[in-house]
Amino acid sequence: MTETIHDLADHGFLATYTDKHGSVASLRIHPHGLVTLDFQSCGENDCEQIALDHLLDKVEGKMKDLFKDCIERIKRLPAILRGGTIDRYWPTADHRLVEYDIDEVVYSVDSPYQNIKILHSMQFGNILILNGDVNLAESDLPYTQAIMGSGKEDYTGKEVLILGGGDGGILYELVQLKPKMVTMVEIDQMVIDGCQKHMRKTCGDVLDNLKGDCYQILVEDCVPLLKRYAEEGRTFDYVINDLTAVPISTSPEEDSTWDFLRLILDLSMKVLKPAGKYFTQGNCVNLTEALALYEEQLGRLYCPVDFSKEIVCVPSYMELWVFYTVWKK
């Protein structure tokens, strides 16, 4: 093993160690007392992991002998696998790293609009991931229920407009509630195709056909359609926006996603009946600034509105998620 010591003067010490197998260890001693030890190895097999665990046990024991009662705590973090065949790491909305128990890439394509992945998780089932964002897993019925009003609404005989929703989860739950007609507008046929085949625990059979007894699926951009509906005076009892979460950026003047969000809000209010309700997701409960900014945007629509919000635990998100109900005053 080759050892190299770096004296960082007032910033402590750094020691690096390399061996003939390509493994690297770095020991960093900080002036305020923090000591960090990182190992990098090219192996992925269980035997190498076991050997590394034994080595770390010896290092911890040696540190305890050397520093005796001076150690406040020792924390060993799990290994991060870089460059693996299957990507298991997907950050939360508030930038915390989460390792999922992904064991299979079920579906992976690039559509004209986005990268689409469906990955299998041992505890969450198949998970739809769009452009690197976890959208919905087969375990995530709480998401679908929340964006439909958490069981408080009577959809019998009602007309409903779904914006997005290509996974089919909202549509599947709605058609069981005897609505008059549900119109779902999804721009990406490849999302529908992937979910129709690989997310059937979520969508059932509603994506098998673009039309059913009480629903129709329109594969097109929702913005021109909303504008046309507004011009024609067509209105709905419910508009469910499942297009995108509230942007993480808190600079609306610099983020085109905010422009899109405001446009959808205004158009949705124009096609919403006077006593109708608009449902949408917000974002992670920890993103308080972004959520406050979204609520500020609600006060800038063409008509006055009021709103309520609900916080729900969505299993595969591994974080609490905010949902909004908006209605005209």
Side-chain angles (χ1 to χ4, degrees):
M1 180 174 285
T2 303
E3 178 186 61
T4 306
I5 306 295
H6 303 271
D7 185 347
L8 305 178
D10 294 337
H11 301 289
F13 295 88
L14 170 67
T16 58
Y17 304 87
T18 58
D19 68 11
K20 61 182 180 180
H21 302 294
S23 296
V24 178
S26 61
L27 175 66
R28 182 80 162 85
I29 302 174
H30 297 263
H32 62 283
L34 174 66
V35 178
T36 60
L37 180 61
D38 299 311
F39 286 92
Q40 292 189 25
S41 173
C42 297
E44 295 185 28
N45 61 61
D46 292 338
C47 291
E48 292 199 19
Q49 183 61 53
I50 292 171
L52 180 58
D53 287 337
H54 285 316
L55 175 60
L56 291 173
D57 289 339
K58 291 180 181 180
V59 170
E60 284 188 18
K62 188 67 173 178
M63 292 176 69
K64 289 175 181 177
D65 289 341
L66 287 172
F67 296 106
K68 299 192 182 298
D69 297 332
C70 296
I71 297 178
E72 291 185 9
R73 68 179 183 273
I74 295 177
K75 180 73 173 181
R76 188 188 302 185
L77 300 177
I80 292 178
L81 177 63
R82 297 180 179 179
T85 306
I86 298 175
D87 188 356
R88 301 174 182 172
Y89 302 97
W90 302 95
T92 60
D94 57 348
H95 308 299
R96 290 174 292 110
L97 185 62
V98 173
E99 180 178 4
Y100 285 83
D101 54 350
I102 302 297
D103 60 1
E104 182 184 359
V105 178
V106 177
Y107 182 75
S108 182
V109 296
D110 286 305
S111 79
Y113 306 100
Q114 58 203 330
N115 173 260
I116 307 165
K117 284 184 174 64
I118 298 178
L119 308 179
H120 180 262
S121 157
M122 290 181 281
Q123 61 181 321
F124 300 125
N126 286 346
I127 305 175
L128 174 65
I129 298 175
L130 301 178
N131 283 343
D133 288 332
V134 174
N135 269 239
L136 194 78
E138 292 176 321
S139 63
D140 293 346
L141 182 58
Y143 175 100
T144 303
Q145 292 172 331
I147 206 168
M148 291 172 55
S150 296
K152 301 171 187 175
E153 305 299 321
D154 181 7
Y155 285 95
T156 305
K158 301 295 175 58
E159 292 190 90
V160 185
L161 177 64
I162 304 172
L163 307 178
D167 53 74
I170 297 171
L171 180 60
Y172 175 69
E173 295 300 322
L174 277 173
V175 297
Q176 300 177 67
L177 301 178
K178 300 179 180 179
K180 179 180 179 181
M181 176 55 68
V182 180
T183 300
M184 180 180 119
V185 191
E186 167 61 52
I187 196 172
D188 201 333
Q189 180 68 55
M190 295 178 78
V191 171
I192 295 174
D193 293 342
C195 293
Q196 182 267 338
K197 185 174 181 180
H198 301 293
M199 298 281 290
R200 294 190 75 86
K201 290 182 180 177
T202 296
C203 66
D205 61 358
V206 295
L207 298 182
D208 293 352
N209 299 287
L210 295 180
K211 287 189 177 181
D213 293 338
C214 63
Y215 72 90
Q216 62 175 340
I217 300 172
L218 306 178
V219 184
E220 57 183 282
D221 186 345
C222 71
V223 173
L225 184 70
L226 283 168
K227 290 179 178 179
R228 186 167 77 245
Y229 282 168
E231 290 172 0
E232 295 171 352
R234 184 172 178 185
T235 57
F236 297 85
D237 298 288
Y238 295 97
V239 177
I240 301 176
N241 178 1
D242 194 32
L243 293 169
T244 183
V246 167
I248 293 174
S249 165
T250 53
S251 301
E253 67 279 0
E254 299 173 3
D255 194 328
S256 61
T257 309
W258 280 103
D259 294 333
F260 176 73
L261 184 146
R262 281 191 294 264
L263 175 62
I264 295 297
L265 272 168
D266 256 329
L267 290 172
S268 295
M269 291 302 111
K270 289 178 180 178
V271 301
L272 189 66
K273 292 182 180 180
K277 290 184 179 178
Y278 171 89
F279 294 119
T280 191
Q281 61 170 314
N283 211 310
C284 167
V285 72
N286 287 344
L287 296 178
T288 53
E289 288 186 43
L291 292 170
L293 190 52
Y294 174 75
E295 292 168 16
E296 184 181 316
Q297 306 309 306
L298 293 176
R300 298 179 177 179
L301 302 181
Y302 88 96
C303 66
V305 300
D306 209 343
F307 69 91
S308 63
K309 54 188 175 181
E310 179 183 15
I311 298 171
V312 173
C313 180
V314 180
S316 76
Y317 289 13
M318 300 194 200
E319 54 189 332
L320 295 178
W321 211 251
V322 179
F323 292 84
Y324 285 92
T325 303
V326 183
W327 60 92
K328 298 177 181 178
K329 287 184 178 179

